[in-house]
Amino acid sequence: MPARRTVLLSALAATPLLGSASASASASAPAVANAAPPGPSVRLVSDSQLDSQALYFVSYDGLVNNNSFQKSGLLTYAGYQYAAWYTADRTAVLARRRLPGGPWQTLRLPHRLRYDDSHNVISLGASPRDGRLHVLMDSHSDAFFYVKSAAALLTRPADFPWSAAHFGDVQNTLDGVALTDRFTYPQFLATPEGKLQLLYRTGVSGNGQAALAEYDGTAWTDLGEWSSATGTYRGEHGSSTARSMYVHGFDYGPDRALHVFFTWREQNAAVMCSPGGLSNHEMAYVTSADRGRTWRDSGGAVVGVTGGADLVSVTDTGTVVEAIDPDHSLMNQESQAVDSAGRPHALWSYVPGRFGQCTTDYAADRVAHGRTFHMYRDEQGSWRKTEIPEPPASTQRSRLALDRHDNAYAIMPRAKIVAASAASGWTDWRVLYDGSGLDAYGEVLIDEPRLKADGVLSVLYQQASTGTTPSPIRVADFALPA
């Protein structure tokens, strides 16, 4: 079955590459009353080093210190920025600095990465009710490792010297809540009321479930699974009866609704035209108005209840925003965000049908023909989609960021930044920064809380190396329109 055509595809010619970090999307203009909001622009204001010898190995074409599904490997809270990575001897390291440009302080946690697997990332979370920093690390379909800081470390940072002594013991539970022994993809997010939620996957690739846990400032509660691994998916080439949901992330909007974009990955490779492809399919979306307890499709129909008998399933066709079959190397876990009007946005990347209807080597085909698409839901509830004219030329994913004016930025592999204005309906994508001066490898991470707090785009990246030779890991800060 050929991939369905895009909802809205703008065939835009790529603009000339702007190699300078100070490149702007528009020329300066005199200030006038009731002036239109500014378009997107980026200006590199600082580039600081966290570690000259960060752990380096390429696994699944990515690095363990920079993977899109971490959500928060870099985060800001109460004027301080926090980062996490594995250093050359595999030890988990945490750092903090006072913003905007204080020196980085580092500490080493009593845990070392077990395997050369880029899935085994470190994810950070902040619990507003008690001011703790939470750390989950080193897991891919097996045990997880969890540690949390002393209370108020985040809210009164000046009272706490940066030391491992202010963190508890490394655990294999959430303070006694066991969750699962097949744990992957931890992502933390604070609710509008100040609870801390943890989104994760149980099971394994192609046979797993999305699940939620929640911390109320005192104790963790396992809320349970909310996606189903069962049901039959039938494609052009065959069928599959097991799968896993791969989420882009989860984000609360200004309306306090929770938004999640996702794809499905089938267990049975028979659904693909070639065993060298990817069994990911569908661009899908759900939302929740009750903090992830009940899930609805974009039409408002209930499609799942967390911890209940009715879970979000591949047979819930109302979740599908755009149908795409498994023959186009659709990437999972790309990126998403919610704008100031509550409109959900996502990035997707795959090989469009104009390059053929069967990818036979997903890595080579994505490098040669992969394209990134921006999608959002408009005020009338319709989905709009535009192809970004700059190819990623990579197997890896891009990060989506929105500035204070709802201009959109796609931070592509190797830290190339392309952007589109809200005024255009996010159709005028062009390169603002080519990334060449950073020498970043693969995916990068962004500090979502800092972007919202002070309009600075902080990018965590690791420089390219070879083999297993350690390389510097750094944070580049870009000023966006005020």
Side-chain angles (χ1 to χ4, degrees), residues 326-466:
D327 296 336
H328 294 271
S329 294
L330 173 67
M331 182 49 67
N332 49 280
Q333 299 165 297
E334 192 103 13
S335 190
Q336 66 171 59
V338 183
D339 69 23
S340 64
R343 293 168 296 207
H345 296 244
L347 295 179
W348 308 90
S349 62
Y350 60 92
V351 177
R354 67 179 182 270
F355 297 109
Q357 300 299 332
C358 179
T359 56
T360 58
D361 181 329
Y362 92 88
D365 289 340
R366 281 180 57 84
V367 171
H369 301 302
R371 296 296 185 269
T372 304
F373 297 82
H374 168 257
M375 175 184 285
Y376 77 99
R377 188 177 63 185
D378 66 19
E379 293 84 347
Q380 289 73 44
S382 298
W383 292 97
R384 307 289 180 180
K385 180 162 164 264
T386 299
E387 180 176 343
I388 297 175
E390 183 68 19
S394 171
T395 62
Q396 299 296 283
R397 310 164 181 92
S398 299
R399 303 301 301 161
L400 177 62
L402 300 175
D403 68 19
R404 291 172 171 173
H405 308 284
D406 289 334
N407 300 309
Y409 302 77
I411 304 90
M412 288 186 158
R414 297 177 292 276
K416 179 185 292 185
I417 301 176
V418 299
S421 66
S424 73
W426 301 282
T427 60
D428 58 352
W429 291 90
R430 66 181 186 127
V431 177
L432 298 186
Y433 178 60
D434 69 9
S436 59
L438 301 185
D439 192 27
Y441 179 88
E443 295 176 5
V444 302
L445 299 177
I446 64 172
D447 184 339
E448 296 176 358
R450 188 179 189 194
L451 183 62
K452 293 178 181 178
D454 60 18
V456 172
L457 176 64
S458 281
V459 177
L460 176 70
Y461 70 96
Q462 189 163 347
Q463 292 186 326
S465 185
T466 57

Side-chain angles (χ1 to χ4, degrees), residues 120-311:
N120 293 44
V121 298
I122 305 175
S123 292
L124 302 177
S127 51
R129 291 191 174 184
D130 61 359
R132 295 183 193 269
L133 181 65
H134 300 254
V135 185
L136 265 166
M137 54 192 165
D138 196 8
S139 181
H140 184 195
S141 301
D142 60 359
F144 62 84
F145 299 86
Y146 168 70
V147 63
K148 70 178 189 294
S149 76
L153 180 139
L154 295 179
T155 50
R156 301 199 314 271
D159 294 347
F160 293 87
W162 192 239
S163 164
H166 297 302
F167 288 80
D169 295 334
V170 177
Q171 311 173 46
N172 295 123
T173 67
L174 299 180
D175 296 333
V177 178
L179 298 184
T180 174
D181 60 1
R182 296 192 299 174
F183 181 95
T184 317
Y185 303 132
Q187 297 187 35
F188 290 105
L189 180 68
T191 71
E193 299 81 17
K195 295 182 180 181
L196 180 65
Q197 293 186 315
L198 170 65
L199 176 65
Y200 63 98
R201 188 193 73 189
T202 69
V204 298
S205 175
N207 190 8
Q209 297 175 268
L212 274 176
E214 190 173 80
Y215 179 73
D216 65 3
T218 302
W220 282 98
T221 301
D222 183 9
L223 302 180
E225 290 83 13
W226 58 274
S227 78
S228 173
T230 61
T232 299
Y233 170 77
R234 292 182 175 85
E236 180 181 355
H237 314 289
S239 63
S240 176
T241 57
R243 68 203 46 80
S244 53
M245 174 189 283
Y246 280 81
V247 302
H248 272 37
F250 67 138
D251 296 277
Y252 283 100
D255 58 355
R256 301 161 73 92
L258 182 57
H259 302 267
V260 178
F261 289 90
F262 65 94
T263 61
W264 295 107
R265 175 174 291 178
E266 297 301 320
Q267 184 182 60
N268 190 350
V271 300
M272 299 186 293
C273 62
S274 168
L278 279 176
S279 62
N280 298 333
H281 63 96
E282 317 304 8
M283 302 178 189
Y285 167 84
V286 289
T287 185
S288 174
D290 59 1
R291 311 300 179 264
R293 272 65 170 178
T294 305
W295 298 94
R296 298 177 182 271
D297 63 24
S298 54
V302 174
V303 290
V305 177
T306 299
D310 180 24
L311 305 176

Side-chain angles (χ1 to χ4, degrees), residues 309-334:
D310 180 24
L311 305 176
V312 180
S313 168
V314 73
T315 59
D316 292 317
T317 57
T319 65
V320 178
V321 174
E322 182 175 343
I324 182 168
D325 62 40
D327 296 336
H328 294 271
S329 294
L330 173 67
M331 182 49 67
N332 49 280
Q333 299 165 297
E334 192 103 13

Side-chain angles (χ1 to χ4, degrees), residues 69-139:
F69 42 77
Q70 287 173 261
K71 191 171 178 70
S72 294
L74 181 71
L75 66 82
T76 289
Y77 197 95
Y80 278 71
Q81 190 171 50
Y82 301 84
W85 71 95
Y86 298 103
T87 194
D89 69 359
R90 311 178 74 85
T91 299
V93 178
L94 302 180
R96 75 173 182 185
R97 65 171 172 173
R98 186 172 183 174
L99 293 173
W104 287 102
Q105 302 171 295
T106 61
L107 64 82
R108 294 163 64 95
L109 293 175
H111 181 80
R112 299 180 70 189
L113 179 71
R114 297 169 297 156
Y115 314 118
D116 284 355
D117 186 336
S118 64
H119 290 81
N120 293 44
V121 298
I122 305 175
S123 292
L124 302 177
S127 51
R129 291 191 174 184
D130 61 359
R132 295 183 193 269
L133 181 65
H134 300 254
V135 185
L136 265 166
M137 54 192 165
D138 196 8
S139 181

